[in-house]
C-alpha cells in the first residue's frame, strides 16, 4: 500500500470501518477490514526481549510467552554507553519480532529516572536525557532495520508506578523540556521512530494521551513526528479527545465501546471527520511499513544468546576494587560462592517486559567452569527476606574455610516491577545481616549486586570490591565470570548516580506518597545535576566505573560544536574507556537556576596497552541552551563556559574555556532554586515557579466515586468498598506468601485501574451498566447496586453480539 493507495483505501471505508480501526481486535492485534484487504497487525511487548504470548493474553506477564532471547534491560545496557552495541541488540530484537510476524515491538522505554524507588527504573536508560535519547535512538534504528516498528514509550513524564493511571505529574515548563522531553526529542529525531506510546498519567492536569500540547504541538509540529501514537494498554480516558490530540490507536480491544463513541461524535458534529481520517492514514501507513513478510528468516537464538552475553559483559560496572582485588587469579586462593543470586540469577524485571528466555546461564555454573578454586556454594539467605538461621550458618561455615568470598546480593523479584514502586532503598535485612557477618570473618569479600536501580550500600567501604551486574539478561552468568576472572576488562560506567542513602535524593520526602498529584518541586535538579549543585557526597557518581587498566587524558581542545581529546591506555592490558564531555556553565551557575555542569557528549574507545587515540565528540544540540519559558523555546545563554573531559561527572581530567555569544538571559528564581536546595522548596515557591495554584495533592473523600476514579480509592470508605479493597489486598499478600511475587504485584495493578477501564479491558464481558452497578455498590448502595449489576449482566448476556463473543474461537482472543 503506497500513500496514494492508503488514501484510496481510507476513502473507500465507511465511517464505521474507519472508527473500528482505532482500537484493537483483541489484546495484541489491530482490526482487519477484509473487504478492502486491510490486514491485522500484531503489537507486543519487547523492551529487552520479545514477549509474544501464545495462549491467553495479558499485559503484565501473568501468562507465558513463547521463548525469546532475554537481553539486558535498558538500565543495564545504558551502563555500556555504547550506541553501536545497543543498536545491535535492537537489530536482534527486530529480527526475532519479524520471525514471529510481530509488526510493532513496544519499546524502548526512556523515561527519565526521577527517583531510585520507581518500580520500572530497570526498563529505562538514565537520569540524563542526552544519554537516554542517544541510546534509545540506537535501539529504535536497530529494531526498525528489520521492518518492525519500535515504539518509544511512555510519552511523557511517566515518573512513578504508584497510581500511574490517574496521577497528575505537576512539572514546570523548563524542567519538562530540559529533562522529561529532551530524551524523547533525541530518540525520535535521531531514531525516526514509527510509533510512540502515550503514558497513562496526566501531565499538568491533562491525560498524556489527550494532551494536545504534548502530542500535536510538540511531538508532531515541533519535532516533525509523522508516525502513529498508540495508547498504553488501557490508557485511554476520553477517546474523542485522544483522537483530536493526535492518538490514533487505542489498545487493547474495547469490544467496540469506544468505536461507537467516535461514530457518535462524528455524526453529532463534535468531531471533524478529517481528524479521524488523519488518524486512519497513520495506521494504514504503519501497516504498510510493517506488514509481516512470509520470507522473514527464523530467529538465530544461539547467535542472539552470544549477543546477550556480549551486551551484559560490556555493561557490567566495576564500582570499587580496593587494592586491585579483581580480577580473580591464583592469589584469590580458595573461593566460596555465597548468595542465592549466584545459583538463581535475577536477570530481568517483571510485568509487561517479562521475557520467557531461550536459556539462562547462571553465574555459579560459569564460575565453576573456569580455572578457579571454588570450594563450594551456599545460598545464605531466603529470597524474600525471611530469616533462616540454617542457611546463614551454612554460609558462614563455608566462608570461614575460604580465602575469598564472592557474595551475590540483590533486589528480589518482588522489589522491582511494573505497577508498584519500591518503599525503600535498602537491601533485604537478611542479606545485610549475612554481609556484616561475612565481613567480620576477615576474609577478602567481593560483592556482586543484582538489581535494576541503586540501593544503599552501607558495607561498601568494608568489602574489597563491588561489581554491579544490574539485570544482565540470560547471558549474565558467563559475562560476570569473564569480568571477575579478567578474561574481559570491565568498561561499564554508571548511567545514574548512586546516592549514599535515600534521604539524599532531592524528592525523597514526597515521591509516590501523595494520591492525586506528583509535584516535581525539584524542577531541573535531578541526579547529578542536583548532587553537583549542592556539593552532596554520593556513593558512586554518574558516569563512574573502574577498569583493570588506567587511562590518561591530554590535549583537550574545544569550540562551540565539538571537543577533541587524546586518550592513552597507560596500563598493561587492553581496555575500553568511555570519554565523557561535560560543559560547565559560566561561574559554575553560581547565582543562577541552572545545573553547574551537564553531559554534552560521549564516546567509547578501545585501546591496547600503551596506545593513544584522538577522540572527537560532537557537542549536543542544546549544550549552551536553556528552555526559555518567556518565549516557550530554547535559546542560547551567553558567557564563558568550560568544556570538561573526564571519566565521570566527578572525575574530570582536562578542561578548556569556550566563549559563547548571545543575548543575555537572567536565570533567576527563589533562593532554594538558585542554590539548588530543592529539598527545601515549599508549595509557595513551587507555585511561583509554575505560575499557578497547585491542585489538591490527595483524593477528595466527600463525594461518591465515579467512573473516572480508580479502584484504590475504595480504601477506608467502609461497606462493600472496603471489602473490595481488602479482597484485592489480601489476594496480593497471599500470592506473595505463596512465593509468587510476579502474580502478587500484578494483582496490585488492579488498584490503579479507573472504574471506566473495567468495561474497556473486559473484552466484552462487562458493559457500562454493569460498571454503574458496581459503583452503586462501592458508594454505599449495595443492594441497589447488586440488582442493577445482575439486571445489566442478564441483558448484556442476552444480546446477540455477547452470544457471539462467548462462542468465539479461543484463537481470536
Amino acid at each position: 500500500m503506497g500513500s496514494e493507495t492508503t488514501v484510496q483505501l481510507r476513502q473507500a471505508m465507511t465511517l464505521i470501518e474507519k472508527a473500528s480501526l482505532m482500537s484493537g481486535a483483541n489484546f495484541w492485534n489491530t482490526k482487519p477490514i477484509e473487504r478492502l484487504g486491510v490486514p491485522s497487525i500484531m503489537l507486543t511487548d519487547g523492551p529487552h526481549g520479545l514477549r509474544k504470548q501464545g495462549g491467553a493474553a495479558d499485559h503484565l506477564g501473568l501468562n507465558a510467552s513463547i521463548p525469546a532471547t532475554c537481553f539486558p534491560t535498558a538500565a543495564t545496557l545504558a551502563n555500556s554507553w555504547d550506541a553501536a552495541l545497543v543498536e545491535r541488540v535492537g537489530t536482534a530484537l527486530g529480527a526475532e519480532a519479524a520471525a514471529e510476524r510481530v509488526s510493532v515491538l513496544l519499546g524502548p522505554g526512556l523515561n527519565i529516572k526521577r527517583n531510585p524507588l520507581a518500580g520500572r527504573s530497570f526498563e529505562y536508560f538514565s537520569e540524563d536525557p542526552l544519554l537516554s535519547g542517544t541510546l534509545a535512538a540506537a535501539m529504535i534504528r536497530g529494531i526498525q532495520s528489520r521492518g518492525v516498528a519500535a515504539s518509544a514509550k511512555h510519552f511523557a513524564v511517566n515518573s512513578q508506578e504508584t497510581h500511574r493511571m490517574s496521577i497528575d505529574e505537576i512539572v514546570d515548563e523548563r524542567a519538562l523540556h530540559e529533562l522529561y522531553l529532551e530524551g524523547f526529542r533525541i530518540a525520535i529525531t535521531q531514531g525516526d521512530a514509527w510509533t510512540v506510546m502515550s503514558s497513562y498519567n496526566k501531565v499538568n492536569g491533562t491525560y498524556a494521551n489527550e494532551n494536545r500540547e504534548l502530542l500535536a504541538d510538540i511531538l508532531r509540529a515541533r519535532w516533525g513526528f509523522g508516525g502513529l501514537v498508540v495508547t498504553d494498554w488501557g490508557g485511554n480516558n476520553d477517546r474523542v479527545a485522544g483522537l483530536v490530540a493526535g492518538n490514533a490507536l487505542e489498545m487493547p480491544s474495547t469490544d467496540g465501546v469506544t468505536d461507537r463513541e467516535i461514530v457518535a461524535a462524528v455524526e453529532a458534529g463534535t468531531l471533524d471527520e478529517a481528524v479521524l481520517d488523519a488518524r486512519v492514514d497513520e495506521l494504514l501507513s504503519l501497516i504498510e511499513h510493517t506488514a509481516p513478510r512470509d520470507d522473514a528468516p527464523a530467529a538465530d537464538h544461539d547467535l542472539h544468546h552470544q549477543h546477550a552475553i556480549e551486551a551484559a559483559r560490556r555493561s557490567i560496572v566495576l564500582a570499587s576494587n580496593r587494592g586491585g582485588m579483581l580480577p580473580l587469579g591464583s592469589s584469590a586462593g580458595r573461593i566460596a560462592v555465597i548468595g542465592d543470586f549466584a545459583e538463581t540469577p535475577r536477570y530481568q524485571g517483571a510485568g509487561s517486559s517479562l521475557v520467557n528466555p531461550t536459556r539462562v546461564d547462571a553465574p555459579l555454573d560459569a564460575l565453576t567452569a573456569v580455572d578457579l578454586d571454588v570450594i563450594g556454594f551456599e545460598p545464605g539467605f531466603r529470597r524474600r527476606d525471611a530469616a533462616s538461621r540454617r542457611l546463614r550458618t551454612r554460609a558462614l561455615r563455608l566462608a570461614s574455610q575460604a580465602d575469598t568470598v564472592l557474595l551475590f546480593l540483590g533486589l528480589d523479584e518482588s522489589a522491582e516491577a511494573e505497577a508498584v514502586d519500591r518503599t525503600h532503598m535498602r537491601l533485604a535485612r537478611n542479606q545485610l545481616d549475612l554481609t556484616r557477618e561475612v565481613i567480620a570473618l576477615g576474609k577478602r569479600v567481593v560483592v556482586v549486586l543484582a538489581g535494576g536501580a541503586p540501593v544503599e550500600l552501607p558495607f561498601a567501604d568494608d568489602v574489597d570490591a563491588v561489581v554491579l551486574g544490574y539485570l544482565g539478561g540470560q547471558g549474565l552468568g558467563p559475562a560476570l565470570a569473564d569480568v571477575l576472572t579478567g578474561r574481559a576488562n570491565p568498561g561499564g560506567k554508571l548511567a545514574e548516580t548512586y546516592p549514599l542513602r535515600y534521604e539524599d535524593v532531592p524528592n525523597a520526602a514526597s515521591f509516590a506518597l501523595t494520591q492525586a498529584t506528583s509535584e516535581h518541586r525539584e524542577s531541573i535538579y535531578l541526579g547529578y545535576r542536583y548532587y553537583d549543585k549542592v556539593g552532596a557526597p554520593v556513593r558512586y557518581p554518574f558516569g563512574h566505573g573502574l577498569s583493570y587498566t588506567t587511562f590518561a587524558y591530554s590535549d583537550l581542545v574545544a569550540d562551540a560544536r565539538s571537543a577533541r581529546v587524546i586518550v592513552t591506555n597507560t596500563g598493561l592490558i587492553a581496555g575500553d574507556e568511555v570519554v565523557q564531555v561535560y560543559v560547565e556553565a559560566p561561574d559554575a551557575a553560581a547565582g543562577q537556576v541552572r545545573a553547574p555542569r551537564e553531559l554534552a557528549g560521549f564516546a567509547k574507545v578501545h585501546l591496547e596497552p600503551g596506545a593513544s587515540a584522538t577522540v572527537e565528540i560532537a557537542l549536543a544540540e542544546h549544550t549552551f541552551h536553556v528552555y526559555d519559558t518567556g518565549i516557550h523555546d530554547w535559546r542560547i545563554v551567553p558567557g564563558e563556559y568550560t568544556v570538561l573531559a573526564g571519566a565521570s561527572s566527578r572525575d574530570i581530567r582536562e578542561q578548556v574555556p569556550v566563549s559563547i555569544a548571545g543575548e543575555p538571559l537572567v536565570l533567576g528564581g527563589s533562593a532554594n532554586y538558585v542554590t539548588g536546595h530543592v529539598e527545601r522548596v515549599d508549595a509557595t515557591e513551587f507555585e511561583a515557579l509554575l505560575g499557578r495554584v497547585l491542585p489538591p495533592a490527595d483524593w477528595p473523600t466527600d463525594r461518591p466515586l465515579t467512573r473516572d476514579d480508580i479502584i484504590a480509592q475504595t480504601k477506608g470508605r467502609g461497606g462493600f468498598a472496603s471489602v473490595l479493597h481488602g479482597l484485592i489486598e489480601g489476594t496480593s499478600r497471599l500470592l506473595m506468601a505463596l512465593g509468587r511475587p510476579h502474580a502478587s504485584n500484578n494483582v496490585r495493578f488492579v488498584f490503579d485501574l479507573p472504574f471506566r477501564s473495567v468495561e474497556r479491558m473486559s473484552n466484552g464481558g462487562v458493559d457500562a451498566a454493569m460498571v454503574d452497578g458496581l459503583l452503586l455498590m462501592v458508594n454505599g448502595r449495595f443492594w441497589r447496586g447488586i440488582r442493577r449489576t445482575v439486571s445489566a449482566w442478564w441483558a448484556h448476556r442476552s444480546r446477540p453480539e455477547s452470544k457471539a463473543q462467548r462462542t468465539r474461537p479461543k484463537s481470536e482472543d
Side-chain angles (χ1 to χ4, degrees), residues 599-616:
L599 183 70
F602 59 93
K604 196 163 191 173
V605 59
H606 179 82
L607 291 171
E608 296 296 320
S612 296
T614 299
V615 181
E616 184 160 8

Side-chain angles (χ1 to χ4, degrees), residues 268-308:
T270 56
L271 173 64
D272 187 343
E273 192 167 355
V275 171
L276 174 60
D277 289 346
R279 304 290 87 86
V280 170
D281 288 349
E282 289 155 10
L283 178 59
L284 294 177
S285 178
L286 178 66
I287 293 171
E288 175 187 5
H289 276 88
T290 65
R293 290 169 39 201
D294 293 331
D295 60 346
D300 189 339
H301 287 134
D302 289 337
L303 176 63
H304 290 173
H305 182 67
Q306 295 306 312
H307 289 344

Side-chain angles (χ1 to χ4, degrees), residues 81-238:
W81 293 60
D82 189 336
L85 173 72
V86 175
E87 186 165 345
R88 288 196 296 274
V89 170
T91 301
L93 289 170
E96 294 199 13
E100 290 294 335
R101 303 181 66 80
V102 168
S103 292
V104 181
L105 201 61
L106 301 173
L110 64 145
N111 292 101
I112 287 295
K113 296 186 179 185
R114 181 183 174 220
N115 184 287
L117 301 189
R120 264 178 123 167
S121 286
F122 63 88
E123 278 192 60
Y124 303 144
F125 289 102
S126 178
E127 67 189 32
D128 182 83
L130 175 62
L131 183 57
S132 293
T134 302
L135 297 181
M139 179 166 282
I140 290 166
R141 290 193 298 269
I143 292 169
Q144 294 184 170
S145 71
R146 292 296 180 261
V148 173
S151 191
K153 66 181 189 181
H154 307 86
F155 190 70
V157 203
N158 183 193
S159 300
Q160 66 180 59
E161 293 300 285
T162 302
H163 308 320
R164 61 180 179 160
M165 298 186 81
S166 60
I167 199 76
D168 188 0
E169 302 281 1
I170 308 296
V171 57
D172 68 278
E173 186 180 4
R174 185 174 163 198
L176 177 66
H177 285 268
E178 292 189 10
L179 292 179
Y180 298 99
L181 298 182
E182 181 66 355
F184 279 98
R185 184 192 69 82
I186 294 168
I188 288 162
T189 57
Q190 295 184 10
D192 188 27
W194 297 343
T195 75
V196 166
M197 180 190 289
S198 59
S199 55
Y200 288 125
N201 53 279
K202 299 173 185 175
V203 179
N204 292 327
T206 304
Y207 281 101
N209 187 62
E210 54 200 57
N211 193 309
R212 296 185 68 175
E213 179 187 7
L214 286 178
L215 299 185
D217 299 344
I218 296 172
L219 180 63
R220 295 192 185 279
R222 184 172 294 188
W223 297 348
F225 175 73
L228 175 139
V229 175
V230 58
T231 67
D232 203 340
W233 265 234
N236 171 60
N237 170 55
D238 183 320

Side-chain angles (χ1 to χ4, degrees), residues 333-345:
R334 295 161 58 85
I335 298 173
V337 180
I338 294 174
D340 191 43
F341 295 96
E343 182 179 48
T344 309

